[in-house]
Amino acid sequence: MGDFEVGGKGRMTASEARGYFHRYIGLPFETLVLQGSSTRQLSFAVAIGVTFGLFPIMGVSIPFCFLAALVFKAPQPLTHGVNYAMYPVQIPLIFVFVRLGEWIMGAPNVSLAPSEILELARTDMVRFVEEFGLTCLHAVLAWSISAPLIFVGTFSAVRPVIARLRDKHLVKPLIPERPSQ
């Protein structure tokens, strides 16, 4: 169970495979991501990806990430990679944002049972759009209120981690860091 075949090298143990993966995939990836961007830019990329990755309407976050990364001069690949990585967290938080938005607006709770949603979409499209269009607006309202907190919290949490990674690998940005003011 603990042996793997890697390339033409023969059998290796699980710990050797982890070392192989880290050396030939992990370290080059870290260097590629860290090289050429400042700690601040990388932190912005992660914060943008997390914040828009939690947007409660699926499939809409990509253009938002693109524009935000342009504004903050954050690396696009890292921004979108983090955005995609948030997908497993985004789905359950859609329900949280819907309920929070309904609570903020004092609206009655709409049933979020998939079978009921599909049945309503099949039988009465006008009512479906009325109910779930408003539900989407409630979710977007709740996300809009929480987004600045998510952004600042993520930025503050990842900045020291990225700085330590940069120091650990001795990768210097192409653009010098601006001193904190």
Side-chain angles (χ1 to χ4, degrees):
M1 177 175 153
D3 291 345
F4 299 94
E5 184 77 30
V6 178
K9 299 190 182 275
R11 305 266 238 187
M12 63 173 47
T13 66
S15 64
E16 290 172 330
R18 276 191 300 276
Y20 180 87
F21 177 82
H22 180 71
R23 180 175 180 192
Y24 292 104
I25 296 172
L27 286 177
F29 179 75
E30 285 177 16
T31 303
L32 177 69
V33 167
L34 293 174
Q35 188 118 31
S37 295
S38 69
T39 302
R40 185 174 186 195
Q41 289 170 318
L42 294 170
S43 300
F44 278 139
V46 173
I48 291 165
V50 168
T51 303
F52 286 108
L54 299 178
F55 192 75
I57 300 175
M58 296 180 72
V60 183
S61 64
I62 294 169
F64 290 151
C65 278
F66 176 77
L67 293 173
L70 284 177
V71 168
F72 287 100
K73 296 183 173 95
Q76 293 283 348
L78 181 59
T79 301
H80 291 285
V82 172
N83 179 26
Y84 296 144
M86 294 307 297
Y87 182 72
V89 180
Q90 177 190 26
I91 294 172
L93 282 182
I94 289 172
F95 299 106
V96 173
F97 286 132
V98 166
R99 294 298 182 228
L100 181 59
E102 289 171 341
W103 178 77
I104 291 168
M105 296 304 295
N109 287 353
V110 173
S111 173
L112 298 174
S115 58
E116 291 179 31
I117 293 171
L118 290 174
E119 182 61 29
L120 185 59
R122 273 188 240 133
T123 57
D124 190 356
M125 186 54 81
V126 172
R127 188 166 154 242
F128 172 80
V129 170
E130 285 174 354
E131 280 192 31
F132 290 102
L134 195 54
T135 300
C136 286
L137 289 177
H138 290 152
V140 170
L141 171 68
W143 176 85
S144 297
I145 291 169
S146 60
L149 301 173
I150 295 168
F151 183 85
V152 170
T154 304
F155 181 84
S156 300
V158 299
R159 189 168 184 169
V161 174
I162 292 171
R164 267 183 269 146
L165 270 175
R166 187 178 293 290
D167 291 343
K168 178 182 170 188
H169 293 289
L170 299 173
V171 177
K172 300 299 176 207
L174 294 177
I175 302 166
E177 294 278 329
R178 291 189 313 186
S180 296
Q181 298 166 350

